[in-house]
């Protein structure tokens, strides 16, 4: 399959800094626990936290959704849990992309039960038109239309995560 650049590394860099400034203002004087969702969010999260002006602790979770190929089904489970306690802490979930909303709505509900002081979500990309369940991120890098994207951490069958630009796959 071919691909075309959708967001260049320069555009991404600019937008990530804007997001980090907004988050830093919102949590000024506090401390964050940033929870990245593996694997796709690792590059976005690395750039985001280095641009933050608030101290943060970092953890990761991994979720598995049953379904095949590029379509996720409704059944989401935690395959790797976080190790930090989030009770009474300000928590920011960082995700690469929200599509149907199933993954993030499941994770938000799961982590809420652990009693964080606050729980917000920052997504790099948002395909708003594809929701199967209502979900609104607190911070969004870019809204995109339908289509399959790779690069900047996002993969196609485990390929393409290291591309510095976000590319859209073309037939
Ligand atoms: P949701 O549960 O919101 O449908 O799914 C979110 C997950 O689907 C993302 O974490 C990602 O793994 C995958 N996903 C959805 N759209 C894309 C896409 O365009 N490219 C890639 N690489 N993954 C996607």
């Amino acid at each position: 399959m071919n691909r075309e650049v959708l967001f260049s590394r320069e555009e991404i860099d600019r937008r990530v800094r804007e997001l980090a400034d907004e988050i830093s203002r919102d949590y000024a004087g506090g401390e964050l626990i940033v929870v990245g969702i593996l694997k796709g969010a690792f590059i976005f999260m690395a750039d985001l936290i280095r641009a933050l002006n608030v101290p943060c602790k970092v953890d990761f979770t991994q979720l598995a959704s049953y379904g095949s190929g590029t379509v996720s089904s409704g059944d989401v489970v935690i395959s790797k849990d976080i190790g930090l306690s989030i009770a009474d802490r300000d928590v920011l979930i960082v995700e690469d992309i929200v599509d149907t909303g199933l993954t993030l709505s499941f994770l938000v509900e799961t982590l809420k039960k652990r009693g964080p002081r606050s729980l917000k979500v920052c997504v790099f990309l948002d395909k708003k038109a594809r929701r199967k369940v209502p979900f609104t991120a607190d911070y969004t890098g870019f809204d995109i239309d339908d289509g399959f994207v790779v690069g900047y951490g996002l993969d196609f069958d485990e390929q393409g995560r290291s591309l510095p630009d976000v590319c859209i796959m073309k037939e």
Side-chain angles (χ1 to χ4, degrees), residues 26-83:
D26 291 352
Y27 292 94
E31 191 192 80
L32 268 175
I33 294 187
V34 181
V35 175
I37 306 184
L38 293 171
K39 299 178 190 172
F42 80 112
I43 290 181
F44 173 47
M45 179 161 154
D47 285 346
L48 186 74
I49 60 171
R50 286 180 296 168
L52 285 178
N53 262 325
V54 283
C56 62
K57 291 183 179 171
V58 167
D59 210 339
F60 290 95
T61 185
Q62 189 158 21
L63 302 162
S65 79
Y66 295 104
S68 62
T70 58
V71 180
S72 59
S73 72
D75 304 314
V76 184
V77 293
I78 292 184
S79 56
K80 182 219 173 293
D81 204 346
I82 54 173

